[in-house]
Amino acid sequence: MDLLSLGIEVFKTLLLLLITGFLIWTGRGENGRKSGRKQIQIAFFLLTFAALLALTDEFDGLEQDLLNGGTATQLFIIKSLYSVGYLVLLLGLLKWIPPQNHVSEQLLPEANERTAALQKTQQFIRAVVQQSHDLVVACDIDGRIILSNDRNVAPLIGAKIGLTLQEWHALSPQYDGYQVSLLTLQQLPLYRALQGEVVTQQEVVLKNQGQNSLILLTRGCPIYDNTGKQQGAMISAYDITAQKQLEEQLTHQAQHDSLTGLANRFLFNDRLNQTALRIQRYDVQAAVIMLDLDKFKEVNDSLGHAAGDQLLEQVSQRMKAALRDSDTIARLGGDEFAIILELSEGTAKDDTQMVAGRLLEHISQPFLLNDQVVQIGASIGIACSLDSGGNADTLLRNADAALYQAKAEGRNRFYCYNTKRNQQAVPYVQSETVISHPLYLKEV
């Protein structure tokens, strides 16, 4: 007996028995495709029986005990069983396995349902982005814009879907910060995010012709898929124009006089310290002028505080007209004013005296207050860095001493402080008298 042939037949028989038993077990309670399943079971029964007959052929004389007939008859029966079994198996499989179009018909509703759900989700996401009051712009890895909400600020920057970053940069009026320097392509927040940078915040100023500026606080980041591969980038931005305007307003109020709009004492001291640093580092010349209005109290007492406030406003306007835009004019309080002048080298003293004379000339002109003509004067004290040095406190102290001396000598005049002749505790000042005009009131 060939052991290999015997082993093959035994393995074949056991395998067919196992499959047949499995088909019988799985067929319990099966309602669909019963006809095909039964045919497959019958086929495996036939094939199993044929295998058993073939197995008995491997033992000498055993077939004579099981079947009456010769070997040729047994072989014919085995081959017939195998042929019929395979044919029945084929027919059963054709019935049991559904055709392709049947599978498609079963899968199509599920596919349509999933497609509709996906489209609904996409529409919802687009609606969320579109309804957002913040700017949202996204691009793919090639730098082409694939998402943009055209609500609020988006039309101003021209971030249309389909544009490349280069095309967007050519059309977009984006400016960086208050310096209003035009952004380069590499400075665009979306471009930076596309290069893998996380933009935590970048202030961008938008200036359109005929429209007010918009200030956007922009953030950006790269976009990655589940595998960590970058797919593109996005930015979001919201309008902080009102916030910036409020900050500027609060800063202006903290640094300027509420009545005249001039710098207040805080801003004046800051500007004076900066001027002192420039004097020390770059050897520039500067001067501090202290100015008090003469007979301001009489105006308040005779016409009231409202008229006094009106006078202060008009005086501040005349002082602005008499000075340069680069000069700092401050109201330190009441009717006390201070001025910082940066002077030309070699003509500092002449420049300050010319400015002081111009101030007195402007202030001595009549004022109209509540239908009353009022004429006043001013007392001015001057301290030049050439005489007082570059220390801020010294300049201010010397200018105040010169102002005190101007008041003591009869008002409506200016004095220049001179340290070369200041050898006593009380500073010596040089005087320059201007014609005095007494206060008078006249109705109009």
Side-chain angles (χ1 to χ4, degrees):
M1 180 178 59
D2 190 351
L3 292 179
L4 179 61
S5 299
L6 178 61
I8 292 173
E9 292 298 331
V10 171
F11 175 76
K12 185 193 301 183
T13 303
L14 292 175
L15 182 61
L16 288 171
L17 286 171
L18 181 63
I19 294 175
T20 303
F22 175 76
L23 289 174
I24 295 173
W25 181 79
T26 57
R28 294 179 302 171
E30 175 66 35
N31 295 323
R33 301 191 297 274
K34 287 184 177 181
S35 176
R37 181 178 293 277
K38 288 181 178 180
Q39 289 185 357
I40 294 173
Q41 291 174 353
I42 293 173
F44 273 93
F45 273 122
L46 294 174
L47 293 175
T48 302
F49 185 65
L52 288 173
L53 291 179
L55 180 63
T56 59
D57 189 44
E58 299 296 333
F59 298 95
D60 294 336
L62 182 61
E63 70 277 4
Q64 297 296 330
D65 298 332
L66 297 176
L67 295 171
N68 292 324
T71 302
T73 303
Q74 185 177 353
L75 290 176
F76 174 78
I77 294 173
I78 292 172
K79 292 180 179 180
S80 299
L81 289 173
Y82 271 121
S83 300
V84 174
Y86 283 124
L87 179 61
V88 175
L89 177 62
L90 178 60
L91 294 174
L93 289 174
L94 290 176
K95 290 183 178 181
W96 184 71
I97 299 176
Q100 185 65 32
N101 59 348
H102 181 67
V103 175
S104 301
E105 290 176 359
Q106 288 183 332
L107 295 179
L108 185 59
E110 183 179 356
N112 291 338
E113 183 178 351
R114 292 186 178 183
T115 301
L118 180 59
Q119 291 176 348
K120 185 177 181 180
T121 302
Q122 291 176 341
Q123 291 174 357
F124 180 78
I125 294 174
R126 283 196 296 267
V128 170
V129 173
Q130 194 69 21
Q131 294 297 322
S132 173
H133 288 276
D134 296 344
L135 169 67
V136 179
V137 181
C139 68
D140 58 20
I141 194 64
D142 297 323
R144 188 172 297 277
I145 297 175
I146 59 175
L147 177 66
S148 175
N149 57 343
D150 56 2
R151 189 180 182 87
N152 298 324
V153 299
L156 298 178
I157 65 174
K160 297 181 179 179
I161 295 177
L163 291 179
T164 64
L165 290 185
Q166 290 79 3
E167 294 170 339
W168 183 31
H169 175 257
L171 297 175
S172 176
Q174 294 194 61
Y175 295 84
D176 184 18
Y178 290 101
Q179 292 76 23
V180 196
S181 58
L182 186 64
L183 286 174
T184 64
L185 176 63
Q186 291 73 22
Q187 291 174 318
L188 286 177
L190 188 57
Y191 183 91
R192 293 169 58 190
L194 189 60
Q195 305 309 309
E197 181 181 354
V198 177
V199 183
T200 55
Q201 60 180 15
Q202 179 179 356
E203 289 186 10
V204 177
V205 178
L206 304 180
K207 282 186 172 291
N208 277 13
Q209 186 175 5
Q211 297 186 8
N212 296 328
S213 299
L214 287 178
I215 306 173
L216 302 180
L217 184 61
T218 307
R219 293 181 173 88
C221 64
I223 299 175
Y224 301 97
D225 60 14
N226 294 334
T227 64
K229 183 179 180 181
Q230 185 175 352
Q231 300 296 309
M234 69 158 291
I235 60 170
S236 63
Y238 62 94
D239 187 359
I240 59 171
T241 306
Q243 176 183 339
K244 283 294 182 180
Q245 291 174 347
L246 179 60
E247 290 177 2
E248 291 180 355
Q249 182 180 357
L250 294 176
T251 301
H252 186 273
Q253 291 176 353
Q255 297 179 346
H256 292 79
D257 177 53
S258 59
L259 177 63
T260 63
L262 300 177
N264 60 13
R265 186 181 294 273
F266 175 80
L267 182 57
F268 174 81
N269 290 334
D270 181 68
R271 297 272 181 87
L272 183 58
N273 289 329
Q274 294 178 19
T275 301
L277 289 176
R278 286 195 293 272
I279 292 172
Q280 297 168 11
R281 293 179 181 177
Y282 307 111
D283 197 27
V284 299
Q285 298 299 319
V288 174
I289 297 177
M290 300 293 292
L291 183 150
D292 271 5
L293 299 180
D294 296 337
K295 301 181 180 180
F296 177 72
K297 184 176 183 300
E298 286 86 335
V299 174
N300 269 338
D301 293 342
S302 59
L303 299 179
H305 291 286
D309 290 345
Q310 190 177 357
L311 177 61
L312 291 174
E313 292 183 71
Q314 294 185 26
V315 167
S316 66
Q317 294 300 322
R318 292 190 185 186
M319 292 177 66
K320 290 179 182 179
L323 298 170
R324 302 167 300 184
D325 293 337
S326 59
D327 298 327
T328 297
I329 312 173
R331 182 191 175 205
L332 303 185
D335 63 337
E336 183 182 9
F337 296 85
I339 301 167
I340 301 174
L341 301 177
E342 291 200 13
L343 307 171
S344 303
E345 187 176 358
T347 62
K349 185 175 181 180
D350 295 336
D351 289 344
T352 55
Q353 292 183 359
M354 181 181 64
V355 169
R358 189 161 61 243
L359 285 170
L360 289 176
E361 181 182 355
H362 280 66
I363 295 174
S364 64
Q365 299 299 317
F367 293 90
L368 181 62
L369 306 175
N370 296 333
D371 297 330
Q372 298 283 337
V373 176
V374 176
Q375 191 167 11
I376 63 172
S379 299
I380 295 176
I382 304 170
C384 295
S385 60
L386 189 63
D387 295 323
S388 302
N391 183 272
D393 292 336
T394 302
L395 279 168
L396 191 59
R397 184 173 58 251
N398 291 347
D400 195 57
L403 174 63
Y404 176 82
Q405 191 66 28
K407 290 181 179 180
E409 292 295 330
R411 302 175 183 269
N412 202 39
R413 65 193 68 216
F414 65 84
Y415 282 81
C416 297
Y417 187 92
N418 189 338
T419 56
K420 293 180 180 179
R421 304 180 64 179
N422 178 26
Q423 303 297 333
Q424 302 175 359
V426 178
Y428 180 88
V429 293
Q430 290 180 321
S431 66
E432 189 74 27
T433 304
V434 178
I435 299 176
S436 176
H437 295 280
L439 170 70
Y440 69 89
L441 306 177
K442 181 181 178 181
E443 294 186 359
V444 295

